[in-house]
Amino acid sequence: MLKKNTIQKSIKHLLRTIELSGFGDKHQGKVRDIYLFGDYRILITTDRISAFDRVLGYIPYKGQVLNQLSQFWFEKTKDIVANHLVSVPHPNVAVAKNARPYPVEMVVRGYISGVTKTSIWKAYESGERVIYGIKFPHGLSKNQKLERPVITPTTKAEHGAHDERLTREEIISRKLVKPDIYHKMEKAALALFARGSDICKRKGLILVDTKYEFADYNGQLMLIDEIHTPDSSRFWKADTYRERFAKGLEPENFDKEFLRLWYAKKNYRGDGEPPNMSKELQIATSERYIKIYEMITGRKFIAGKYPLVKEIALSIKKYFS
Ligand SMILES: Nc1ncnc2c1ncn2[C@@H]1O[C@H](COP(=O)(O)OP(=O)(O)OP(=O)(O)O)[C@@H](O)[C@H]1O
Ligand SMILES: [Mg+2]
């Protein structure tokens, strides 16, 4: 684990964004800066952190943790489905195949939980028993393990919009994805989730739920974006889950819930200008991201040194020269 002091020092050099010259226009997601170059998509994972569907601030080492954790998982799952990763020339950078994304986010859930509008617990709690076209039995409690994982797809919302619930039938009838392809996506998503759960279990973690993005690459189904990171997934500590669940306590988690709580304490729930993150919150969040990386991979987190901008630009130029 990195020393607090090291993390603190990197705060003045946080990777907010990056400008590359000679690689065309920059595209920006909430977390990644993207350059399209030839057949490639260069994804630079920055230190931006989002919650409430917006960027709230910057977390030291977050970009490198996410990028390298995805790299770990892409390697561990490539026998299940092809993925976009070509190379990782720098801890913050992924050179990927540029594919055509399907407009659906494949959310897989092993537990009935969640706080957001699209979570199944919110719907279940308000009395719904058919959610995302799936029938749920009576008598489930919050955070209970589901008999088997379910797929609860959503739209992939445009910038600023919120994801909407979908069902398999809607995806087909609205022609968002062709039936045979969607069937493959379902199979791949469940197999990925099983593999992820398995590996997490051996590391003392529960993979609670996650989101996959798929794309078409010359007729081939391809997993893109990121996989099993703390941005796209929720993790609980396995050893205390049972006891806490039995007592009606919330599981010990590695998700962004503690971040949301910090904002809630400041009376911020996603509308208007967010308050500035404190240094303490930035450091604590950084430690959580690094911790989950180390737990899952079983490797010590080797930090790319701040400031990162020059090194990143150099590594990309070198890779394509
Ligand atoms: N191999 C790929 N081919 C095409 N698109 C991809 C690929 N990998 C990732 N993407 C897209 O690139 C973007 C990654 O940026 P980022 O993760 O920051 O976006 P986001 O905040 O999740 O979503 P948005 O772009 O809507 O803000 C996503 O829109 C993702 O769908
Ligand atoms: Mg994303």
Side-chain angles (χ1 to χ4, degrees):
M1 188 61 152
L2 283 187
K3 293 205 181 74
K4 254 196 183 57
N5 198 268
T6 312
I7 298 176
Q8 182 152 12
K9 274 190 200 150
S10 59
I11 288 182
K12 60 177 177 296
H13 299 297
L14 290 163
L15 184 65
R16 296 182 163 83
T17 187
I18 188 159
E19 303 298 333
L20 295 180
S21 60
F23 290 89
D25 292 339
K26 178 166 77 177
H27 301 258
Q28 269 189 318
K30 285 186 284 295
V31 172
R32 292 172 182 81
D33 282 1
I34 300 150
Y35 287 88
L36 300 175
F37 190 67
D39 290 337
Y40 299 107
R41 171 172 285 245
I42 307 168
L43 297 157
I44 299 122
T45 310
T46 70
D47 290 335
R48 301 195 287 269
I49 189 163
S50 73
F52 312 108
D53 283 327
R54 61 179 298 159
V55 176
L56 293 176
Y58 308 90
I59 304 299
Y61 300 96
K62 174 172 180 280
Q64 356 186 334
V65 163
L66 286 196
N67 191 50
Q68 296 185 108
L69 192 53
S70 277
Q71 181 186 19
F72 169 86
W73 283 115
F74 279 133
E75 177 61 35
K76 293 278 184 213
T77 56
K78 64 183 182 193
D79 60 306
I80 296 173
V81 60
N83 66 62
H84 74 170
L85 192 64
V86 177
S87 180
V88 177
H90 179 278
N92 288 83
V93 182
V95 175
K97 292 172 179 157
N98 189 31
R100 284 194 303 125
Y102 292 111
V104 171
E105 306 214 330
M106 296 295 273
V107 179
V108 184
R109 304 169 189 270
Y111 292 74
I112 182 161
S113 176
V115 284
T116 60
K117 233 184 71 213
T118 49
S119 77
I120 44 179
W121 174 250
K122 275 283 160 222
Y124 189 89
E125 196 185 22
S126 72
E128 288 183 57
R129 288 296 176 269
V130 180
I131 313 164
Y132 291 91
I134 302 158
K135 239 183 149 163
F136 289 86
H138 289 287
L140 293 179
S141 310
K142 187 175 186 214
N143 302 329
Q144 189 166 342
K145 188 175 187 189
L146 294 168
E147 206 164 309
R148 64 184 70 84
V150 296
I151 300 177
T152 59
T154 67
T155 54
K156 205 176 133 41
E158 296 295 322
H159 272 294
H162 297 281
D163 296 340
E164 302 294 339
R165 277 158 60 168
L166 286 170
T167 64
R168 178 196 284 138
E169 286 65 36
E170 284 164 347
I171 290 167
I172 307 295
S173 69
R174 285 164 61 178
K175 296 195 166 54
L176 298 176
V177 187
K178 286 199 182 117
D180 56 321
I181 309 263
Y182 189 67
H183 181 68
K184 279 189 196 165
M185 276 165 60
E186 287 185 321
K187 255 185 88 175
L190 291 175
L192 291 168
F193 192 76
R195 177 72 55 83
S197 302
D198 224 49
I199 291 175
C200 281
K201 194 171 170 192
R202 280 187 261 143
K203 308 295 168 69
L205 289 165
I206 294 171
L207 177 61
V208 184
D209 44 40
T210 194
K211 176 220 60 167
Y212 304 109
E213 289 185 35
F214 292 96
D216 167 79
Y217 187 72
N218 299 327
Q220 182 186 34
L221 181 69
M222 183 165 277
L223 178 66
I224 60 165
D225 204 46
E226 62 181 334
I227 167 168
H228 301 160
T229 70
D231 272 15
S232 68
S233 323
R234 295 196 299 152
F235 304 95
W236 290 338
K237 271 187 78 181
D239 58 350
T240 56
Y241 165 75
R242 233 176 238 279
E243 203 189 321
R244 294 182 68 91
F245 177 74
K247 287 187 184 153
L249 296 171
E250 282 297 309
E252 288 184 84
N253 67 70
F254 285 92
D255 33 85
K256 292 185 194 163
E257 191 57 13
F258 86 108
L259 199 79
R260 293 196 191 93
L261 286 174
W262 187 87
Y263 281 92
K265 258 198 216 145
K266 301 209 171 277
N267 273 319
Y268 182 78
R269 282 178 191 79
D271 298 310
E273 260 319 289
N276 273 338
M277 265 187 197
S278 70
K279 272 201 176 144
E280 290 68 40
L281 182 68
Q282 285 176 301
I283 294 169
T285 309
S286 178
E287 287 178 330
R288 287 170 85 100
Y289 272 83
I290 294 169
K291 174 92 175 147
I292 195 86
Y293 171 90
E294 294 190 335
M295 281 183 84
I296 290 173
T297 63
R299 301 171 193 158
K300 192 168 174 300
F301 174 66
I302 311 281
K305 284 211 172 58
Y306 283 83
L308 293 159
V309 173
K310 266 193 195 147
E311 282 299 316
I312 289 176
L314 208 66
S315 71
I316 294 172
K317 290 210 170 99
K318 215 167 127 194
Y319 180 80
F320 284 102
S321 69

